[in-house]
Amino acid sequence: MFDVIYDTVKAFSQIRFGPWQGLGNVLLVGEGNLSFAKSLFRHPTAHITHMTATVFEKGRNLSDKTVQNANFLRKCGAFVLYGIDATKLEESLKPQKFDTIIFQFPNVNSRDAKYGRNPNYVMIRKFLRNAAAYLEPSGKVLISVVDSPYYEGVFQFDEAAEFAGYETPECYPFDPYCFFEYSHTNTTDDDSAIEDYRKFLTWVFKLKQ
Ligand SMILES: C[S@@+](CC[C@H](N)C(=O)[O-])C[C@H]1O[C@@H](n2cnc3c(N)ncnc32)[C@H](O)[C@@H]1O
């Protein structure tokens, strides 16, 4: 009887909160204005034990909002680092393992092909490969993107997972409005391109055992 109740509650919570549960020791990369990192601290199911929140841009290029959010995060005990390239983590982070590594709406500031490929295709593969070295064996990488054939073609997540040593990823609907005060920003300005879209996905990557 209790098993049935437990399984029902678990299934309901999986549908409602998807992978945003029990995140443990978290690394965030490409955080833009750090508002998603901040929102996770208030998220009811995130259960963060420690957070390292990182921004690609260097300290001198940050908006006032980013600095305010960084101050909030530091008061909560998080490490906040600037100028961190998600494809070269070893240049800035000492060897360590995280339970969850998060990259929300990855996007490089370029449309110029790299090795004949879309630069986002190249970046996400390098990131996944790099993240694998920083992930607990039972940990997960979460990547949220717009749910559209265009982005599916750009990222090709199934193939990227195979390339970087992960199982075939699962995906869940992502609702930005479930994250209190999360204000997504573009790579090049403080506007939000996701306001033009209605559907988003979070892809969940687990290492091959
Ligand atoms: C569309 S913005 C999303 C920002 C933020 N994650 C959010 O959800 O609001 C894409 C972000 O990816 C970052 N980015 C691009 N290339 C990166 C790289 N190699 N390493 C880390 N971040 C990168 C950009 O600086 C930018 O902040």
Side-chain angles (χ1 to χ4, degrees), residues 130-144:
N130 222 245
Y134 285 86
L135 198 59
E136 291 286 1
S138 62
K140 60 192 176 194
V141 176
L142 306 181
I143 303 177
S144 302

Side-chain angles (χ1 to χ4, degrees), residues 30-32 56-57 84-87 103-108 123 182-187:
E31 251 306 279
F56 186 46
E57 289 71 26
I84 306 299
D85 186 334
T87 68
F103 199 163
Q104 290 297 97
F105 298 95
N107 192 15
V108 306
M123 191 263 276
Y182 170 37
S183 59
H184 168 272
T185 47
N186 296 340
T187 303

